[in-house]
Amino acid sequence: DPIRLLKGHTNSVTSAMFNLSGDTIVTSSYDNTAKIWDTETGEIIATLAEHKAFVKSAAFNKAGNRVITSSNDKTAIIWGINQDFDYLDKDTDELPCCIQ
């Protein structure tokens, strides 16, 4: 049986990945967004919506303070995330250490 159904994207989901601690998930979609989810509640924590075409993939870095998204618009964006997810800004200052 499914543990949790994550509903919120408006088009097909292209990828899904847990962070290292397993308490959040990042998904990407043909709706041109990526979303960060609370694993326990299934609630959307944040929507990353800067891409101009569908988002192919999204992943956390090992520290969990960055997400990278790649899109069919020929761009990748690194997003800075604080511990409480109350800001999600494009971060161009440094690359995350270990996106897998």
Side-chain angles (χ1 to χ4, degrees):
D1 291 332
I3 295 172
R4 182 89 49 233
L5 178 63
L6 305 176
K7 287 182 146 182
H9 282 293
T10 60
N11 208 326
S12 299
V13 174
T14 56
S15 73
M17 180 179 284
F18 285 96
N19 68 348
L20 283 180
S21 63
D23 60 350
T24 56
I25 296 168
V26 63
T27 58
S28 58
S29 173
Y30 275 101
D31 66 7
N32 298 1
T33 71
K35 294 187 183 292
I36 298 175
W37 308 79
D38 181 289
T39 305
E40 185 65 31
T41 65
E43 297 292 319
I44 297 168
I45 297 170
T47 299
L48 311 178
E50 290 286 327
H51 286 291
K52 306 297 185 228
F54 76 88
V55 181
K56 296 182 196 181
S57 64
F60 289 100
N61 68 340
K62 284 188 178 181
N65 64 347
R66 303 269 194 270
V67 167
I68 187 165
T69 55
S70 64
S71 172
N72 205 47
D73 66 9
K74 301 178 185 174
T75 66
I77 297 173
I78 298 169
W79 305 82
I81 302 169
N82 75 358
Q83 185 176 12
D84 298 323
F85 293 98
D86 61 10
Y87 75 82
L88 290 147
D89 295 319
K90 289 187 286 186
D91 183 350
T92 57
D93 293 340
E94 65 181 80
L95 294 174
C97 67
C98 308
I99 298 297
Q100 299 189 18

